[in-house]
């Protein structure tokens, strides 16, 4: 079906863009923390900047993983497997929660972007029918009463 391939491919592209933006934001925040020698409640500024870099790499890697999973689903036109669905569901839930927080902290524009990504993730998960369970080789099936 063309629609589900299109939605999964578009979601993959959007997640790659989001990963790049978030890594860039974390790099800027880490450099600002290191250059200004800022600390919160006496924390070491070097540790804070390195943790900011690590969090940026972690969130970027997670979003890229989700993008690859969606791209594979779009290319093969098959529903994602159990582990892939778990990763995509956690990304969708995270975007939903961040969208709710973004309204008060950042504004309605950020909320709209996060809800767009949430909708793409949810739609890409619901358009694909779950794979049927394959019987195990040699499994004995009951034959009536």
């Amino acid at each position: 079906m063309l629609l589900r391939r299109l939605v999964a491919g578009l979601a993959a592209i959007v997640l790659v863009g989001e990963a790049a933006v978030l890594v860039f934001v974390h790099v800027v925040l880490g450099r600002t923390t290191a250059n200004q020698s800022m600390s919160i409640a006496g924390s070491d500024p070097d540790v804070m900047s390195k943790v900011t870099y690590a969090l940026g790499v972690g969130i970027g890697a997670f979003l890229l993983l989700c993008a690859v999973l969606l791209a594979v689903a779009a290319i093969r036109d098959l529903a994602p497997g159990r582990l892939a669905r778990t990763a995509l569901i956690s990304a969708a839930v995270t975007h939903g929660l961040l969208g709710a927080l973004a309204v008060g902290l950042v504004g309605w524009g950020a909320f709209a972007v996060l809800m767009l990504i949430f909708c793409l993730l949810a739609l890409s998960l619901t358009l694909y029918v779950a794979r049927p369970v394959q019987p195990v080789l040699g499994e004995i099936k009951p034959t009536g009463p």
Side-chain angles (χ1 to χ4, degrees):
M1 182 177 208
L2 182 63
L3 178 64
R4 62 184 176 200
R5 289 181 123 177
L6 180 67
V7 169
L10 185 61
I13 292 169
V14 169
L15 285 179
V16 169
E18 183 185 12
V21 167
L22 285 177
V23 167
F24 176 72
V25 166
H26 279 83
V27 167
V28 169
L29 289 174
R31 285 192 180 167
T32 303
T33 303
N35 290 339
Q36 298 296 323
S37 295
M38 296 188 302
S39 67
I40 298 174
S43 300
D44 186 17
D46 291 332
V47 172
M48 288 177 57
S49 65
K50 288 178 181 156
V51 167
T52 303
Y53 294 143
L55 288 174
V57 169
I59 190 87
F62 176 69
L63 290 174
L64 286 178
L65 171 71
C66 291
V68 167
L69 295 173
L70 284 168
V72 168
I75 291 169
R76 292 184 181 170
D77 199 21
L78 289 174
R82 183 178 292 160
L83 240 52
R85 288 182 73 81
T86 303
L88 293 173
I89 288 169
S90 67
V93 168
T94 302
H95 280 86
L97 291 173
L98 287 177
L101 290 172
V103 173
L105 297 175
V106 182
W108 288 102
F111 173 78
V113 170
L114 286 167
M115 288 301 106
L116 171 74
I117 298 170
F118 170 76
C119 289
L120 285 173
L121 286 169
L123 191 58
S124 65
L125 283 167
T126 56
L127 283 177
Y128 284 102
V129 177
R131 295 182 194 171
V133 177
Q134 299 285 333
V136 179
L137 187 62
E139 183 177 298
I140 300 172
K141 295 185 179 186
T143 58

